[in-house]
């Protein structure tokens, strides 16, 4: 009998999350764990999250920038789920007690005005469905040791979801030049990374379209009112206890997260 199947991988990932335990990627032992299998595992664990009372609030994209793809060694973007349990209130520190090895990355965040269902969604039709744009900082956490994974592993692991904070500046999509929106990432006051909206699939609206078109393969859509994290603009930085990470955007303000205790 094979060591792993969809049900046992799904259960092990939620157990790792609950126990703050990391492990080697499943694909070491189960190379057939591909992206489509990963999505079935991701969806099974979303169902378990909802059954225990979490609310689905949106969608996140992963690996939509060259900086992220290069660092993680996985060269295709993918989608995952956001629940209310992952929301970090403004000013709240990294929830160290819940996470294994948190890292922070800057993102452009959309809140949807209309439902967006693929296939055939373009950057233009995607942006027309956006209500507001904000800056964000995602706190990613992987259930894999040293963030070492292949595409199927990371899709199954809900794209390293952990938590995220949304900045307080909220603008209409027509009032921002997303291509040239710049971000600087500081750790303890030292500049670590810079990027622009263009680093996200050429434009964050392309990432949004990609999410809708990819979800359509599973008969799913992005719903009105949902939140979309369009993917790390730059590589992530570690956020250990005692650190301070600031993502400073050119027009969308600053999102600062303390490493906490
Ligand atoms: C995968 C999660 C990627 C992003 O924005 O690219 C992600 C990882 O880097 O562990 O959230
Ligand atoms: Mg991210």
């Amino acid at each position: 009998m094979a060591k792993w199947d969809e049900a046992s991988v799904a259960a092990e990932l939620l157990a790792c999350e609950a126990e703050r335990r990391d492990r080697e990627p499943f694909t070491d032992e189960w190379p057939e764990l591909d992206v489509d299998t990963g999505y079935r595992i991701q969806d099974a664990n979303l169902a378990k999250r909802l059954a225990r009372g979490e609310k689905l609030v949106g969608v996140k994209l992963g690996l939509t920038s060259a900086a992220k793809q290069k660092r993680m060694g996985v060269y295709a973007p993918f989608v995952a789920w956001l629940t209310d349990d992952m929301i970090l209130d403004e000013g709240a520190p990294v929830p160290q007690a819940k996470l294994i090895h948190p890292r922070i990355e800057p993102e452009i965040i959309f809140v949807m005005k209309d439902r967006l269902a693929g296939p055939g969604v373009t950057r233009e039709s995607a942006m027309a469905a956006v209500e507001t744009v904000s800056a964000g900082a995602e706190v990613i956490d992987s259930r894999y040791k040293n963030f070492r994974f292949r595409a199927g592993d990371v899709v199954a692991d809900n794209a390293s979801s952990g938590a995220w904070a949304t900045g307080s500046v909220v603008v209409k999509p027509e009032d921002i030049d997303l291509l040239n929106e710049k971000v600087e990432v500081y750790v303890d006051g030292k500049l670590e990374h810079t990027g622009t909206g263009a680093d996200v699939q050429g434009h964050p609206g392309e990432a949004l379209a990609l999410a809708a078109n990819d979800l359509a393969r599973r008969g799913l859509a992005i719903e009105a009112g949902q939140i979309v994290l369009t993917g790390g603009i730059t590589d992530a930085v570690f956020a250990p206890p005692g650190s301070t990470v600031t993502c400073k955007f050119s027009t969308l303000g600053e999102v600062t997260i303390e490493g906490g205790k």
Side-chain angles (χ1 to χ4, degrees):
M1 202 190 100
K3 181 158 186 219
W4 296 107
D5 60 16
E6 290 175 24
S8 59
V9 167
E12 171 70 355
L13 282 169
L14 282 191
C16 285
E17 191 174 313
E19 296 159 22
R20 296 179 65 214
R21 169 164 65 76
D22 56 8
R23 55 162 297 114
E24 301 303 337
F26 299 101
T27 50
D28 284 358
E29 293 172 349
W30 187 28
E32 294 78 18
L33 171 51
D34 59 9
V35 166
D36 286 337
T37 309
Y39 278 125
R40 286 193 296 275
I41 294 166
Q42 191 190 103
D43 289 352
N45 277 349
L46 173 67
K48 289 189 224 168
R49 290 180 205 276
L50 300 182
R52 71 189 185 199
E54 294 177 44
K55 305 262 180 302
L56 177 65
V57 295
V59 171
K60 63 168 275 184
L61 284 114
L63 307 191
T64 50
S65 66
K68 289 288 305 177
Q69 292 185 354
K70 185 158 173 274
R71 165 69 70 181
M72 310 326 282
V74 174
Y75 292 88
F78 43 76
V79 295
W81 302 114
L82 298 175
T83 73
D84 60 343
D85 206 42
M86 304 171 190
I87 296 171
L88 205 55
D89 293 331
E90 205 180 343
V94 173
Q96 300 281 355
K98 277 175 46 178
L99 304 178
I100 302 163
H101 40 194
R103 303 182 70 188
I104 294 180
E105 56 194 20
E107 307 223 2
I108 298 291
I109 297 183
F110 295 137
V111 176
M112 302 305 295
K113 175 173 63 189
D114 302 319
R115 181 170 201 264
L116 193 61
V121 175
T122 62
R123 182 213 291 192
E124 288 70 28
S125 58
M127 289 309 299
V130 170
E131 174 86 65
T132 59
V133 181
S134 294
E138 185 181 14
V139 185
I140 54 170
D141 196 33
S142 177
R143 270 52 68 178
Y144 302 112
K145 279 194 200 315
N146 302 317
F147 284 75
R148 184 179 74 87
F149 46 66
R150 298 177 187 88
D153 299 297
V154 65
V155 169
D157 190 27
N158 203 42
S160 309
S161 64
W164 86 92
T166 305
S168 54
V169 177
V170 178
V171 303
K172 295 279 174 200
E174 57 271 24
D175 293 336
I176 180 167
D177 175 4
L178 276 175
L179 276 184
N180 293 306
E181 181 68 16
K182 192 177 169 198
V183 65
E184 297 174 333
V185 181
Y186 294 86
V187 180
D188 299 332
K190 180 170 173 281
L191 180 64
E192 294 287 349
H193 300 300
T194 62
T196 67
D199 293 328
V200 179
Q201 296 290 124
H203 187 288
E206 294 284 357
L208 178 61
L210 189 153
N213 291 328
D214 201 76
L215 287 168
R217 298 195 306 129
R218 286 180 275 160
L220 303 171
I222 302 171
E223 304 297 334
Q226 284 191 338
I227 297 160
V228 179
L229 267 60
T230 56
I233 302 169
T234 71
D235 189 13
V237 295
F238 280 104
S243 63
T244 301
V245 176
T246 298
C247 301
K248 195 171 174 189
F249 286 77
S250 47
T251 74
L252 289 174
E254 274 184 31
V255 186
T256 293
I257 305 185
E258 302 290 343
K261 289 202 279 281

